[in-house]
Amino acid sequence: MRGKRIKGKTAAICSIVLIIAFCISIKNCPKTVSIKQAPEIKLYLSRENCTINLPLEDYIKGTVAAEMPANFALEALKAQAVCARTYTLKKILDEKKYPKGADVSDDIYSCQAYISSAEFKHRNPQNYKILWDKITKAVQATSGQIMIYNGEPIDALYHSTCGGRTESAANAWGQDIPYLRSVSCNYCQESKYYQSCQVFSKQDLEEFESLELGNTISLSISERSSTGRVKKLKINNLFVSGEKFRQILNLPSTNWEFSSAQGKLIVNSRGYGHGVGLCQYGANGMARAGADYRSILKHYYCHFDFCQLQWETNK
Ligand SMILES: [Zn+2]
């Protein structure tokens, strides 16, 4: 497998890695890959600083529960389940290391969120059963399904709200990834982050080191990506990247229009998140308009194939 050694995994994970590695080694990747036993995941729980082992499909339920509102349409939840499963297998194949030798982590900054069914029940005491059953249905209906490109699981990135057009990997990180191109999205208007407004006083801007704050705030955009997101801007004397500006002011995205009034800076933002890959609110909008999960995924990711991992319990 590209010279990488596979070690320290459970037997189940090894089996899945080896089978996908086999899949990679042949020119035309099969649409179905059989695995003897259902894979098991070693998950790092960051707050508890411990690991737990659980079946892959149970882990996927917990990520869907944590990453997408359960009142979204069933087909959107199914799309999320395929994304989460693909993302997980990509992490395993890349041999990403998490604390205590875990395969994945519930830390959203380095992996994807996860909550247990007990935590989900705590958060949804009124309608826990209906919503958990719906998540279970979405995961079971897509059991073992992943997205592949060139025989490998894709990097199935997703975000809350794109604001009208998703971002390409090339614009976001400088690397062109054929399945992570920018696509239009007319489906995420229901998100409160489709368009949002944030207002900052001069004191708020003191967070920027070396920024000279005079009587006025002068702000100009130096560079936008082809999809409209701000890559670089100048505020008074200081040039700063759009991403750093977003982090310091805790803004929802880097797609902005600026104005000022009464000495304050007004930022109108579109979207929430990095904008790459699946737009979750867009997926819900497409599902409510009648699209199934496969059409949703085909809209947000380009040039990939579906692959069915099959083991005895999901045959
Ligand atoms: Zn969108």
Side-chain angles (χ1 to χ4, degrees):
M1 212 192 78
R2 293 185 174 174
K4 288 180 186 171
R5 282 191 302 148
I6 302 162
K7 58 182 180 181
K9 307 288 178 195
T10 64
I13 291 301
C14 277
S15 71
I16 202 167
V17 170
L18 290 170
I19 284 161
I20 293 174
F22 171 73
C23 183
I24 293 163
S25 70
I26 56 174
K27 204 171 180 183
N28 297 308
C29 182
K31 295 287 188 279
T32 302
V33 178
S34 293
I35 301 167
K36 276 186 184 168
Q37 108 193 65
E40 198 167 83
I41 295 292
K42 186 174 182 181
L43 166 67
Y44 176 68
L45 300 173
S46 51
R47 260 173 299 174
E48 295 84 352
N49 189 28
C50 70
T51 61
I52 54 170
N53 289 330
L54 71 172
L56 172 66
E57 296 300 312
D58 286 353
Y59 167 66
I60 300 303
K61 280 186 214 170
T63 64
V64 173
E67 291 281 5
M68 181 176 267
N71 62 2
F72 273 20
L74 182 63
E75 294 301 315
L77 293 168
K78 288 183 191 174
Q80 180 67 41
V82 177
C83 287
R85 191 179 295 107
T86 306
Y87 186 86
T88 302
L89 293 179
K90 167 98 175 131
K91 291 278 183 204
I92 293 168
L93 280 170
D94 286 351
E95 296 185 69
K96 175 89 182 160
K97 299 292 180 206
Y98 291 101
K100 299 185 184 291
D103 302 310
V104 284
S105 165
D106 67 355
D107 171 28
I108 57 166
Y109 297 104
S110 61
C111 195
Q112 57 190 350
Y114 166 88
I115 53 171
S116 64
S117 60
E119 174 61 23
F120 186 79
K121 187 174 185 178
H122 177 70
R123 293 184 191 183
N124 300 276
Q126 304 295 327
N127 46 6
Y128 159 76
K129 191 168 178 348
I130 291 169
L131 294 178
W132 190 256
D133 285 352
K134 193 172 161 194
I135 291 168
T136 300
K137 194 173 174 185
V139 173
Q140 284 177 347
T142 62
S143 179
Q145 287 184 35
I146 60 168
M147 294 175 280
I148 56 169
Y149 176 80
N150 268 355
E152 291 186 353
I154 70 167
D155 198 3
L157 296 168
Y158 51 88
H159 60 278
S160 164
T161 309
C162 74
R165 183 158 198 95
T166 69
E167 184 57 287
S168 66
N171 278 335
W173 301 297
Q175 187 191 358
D176 179 37
I177 299 175
Y179 52 79
L180 293 176
R181 298 257 163 89
S182 174
V183 300
S184 67
C185 172
N186 301 315
Y187 307 101
C188 56
Q189 289 91 336
E190 273 192 22
S191 168
K192 67 177 179 179
Y193 287 109
Y194 184 74
Q195 283 185 308
S196 58
C197 183
Q198 295 80 26
V199 180
F200 299 97
S201 66
K202 231 191 285 182
Q203 285 75 15
D204 294 326
L205 301 175
E206 286 172 357
E207 295 289 317
F208 288 93
E209 275 179 39
S210 329
L211 176 65
E212 292 169 8
L213 283 166
N215 292 328
T216 55
I217 300 167
S218 140
L219 196 148
S220 59
I221 293 165
S222 311
E223 189 183 353
R224 280 190 193 266
S225 77
S226 55
T227 59
R229 287 173 174 80
V230 175
K231 294 182 94 168
K232 201 172 177 187
L233 58 89
K234 188 181 182 195
I235 177 163
N236 290 2
N237 61 312
L238 191 70
F239 281 101
V240 59
S241 73
E243 195 47 51
K244 188 163 185 193
F245 192 78
R246 172 166 106 105
Q247 283 170 14
I248 289 178
L249 295 182
N250 198 23
L251 290 161
S253 77
T254 56
N255 196 345
W256 304 306
E257 297 297 338
F258 298 105
S259 57
S260 62
Q262 298 167 339
K264 295 195 171 174
L265 175 67
I266 301 165
V267 184
N268 283 292
S269 300
R270 287 186 75 137
Y272 185 46
H274 50 59
V276 181
L278 179 89
C279 167
Q280 292 172 309
Y281 272 85
N284 192 40
M286 282 188 77
R288 294 207 193 285
D292 68 6
Y293 74 96
R294 291 169 79 93
S295 314
I296 293 169
L297 294 169
K298 281 287 180 189
H299 179 75
Y300 290 103
Y301 302 102
C302 313
H303 312 301
F304 75 89
D305 291 312
F306 287 102
C307 179
Q308 176 72 55
L309 304 176
Q310 205 164 66
W311 48 88
E312 285 182 6
T313 49
N314 76 344
K315 271 181 185 172

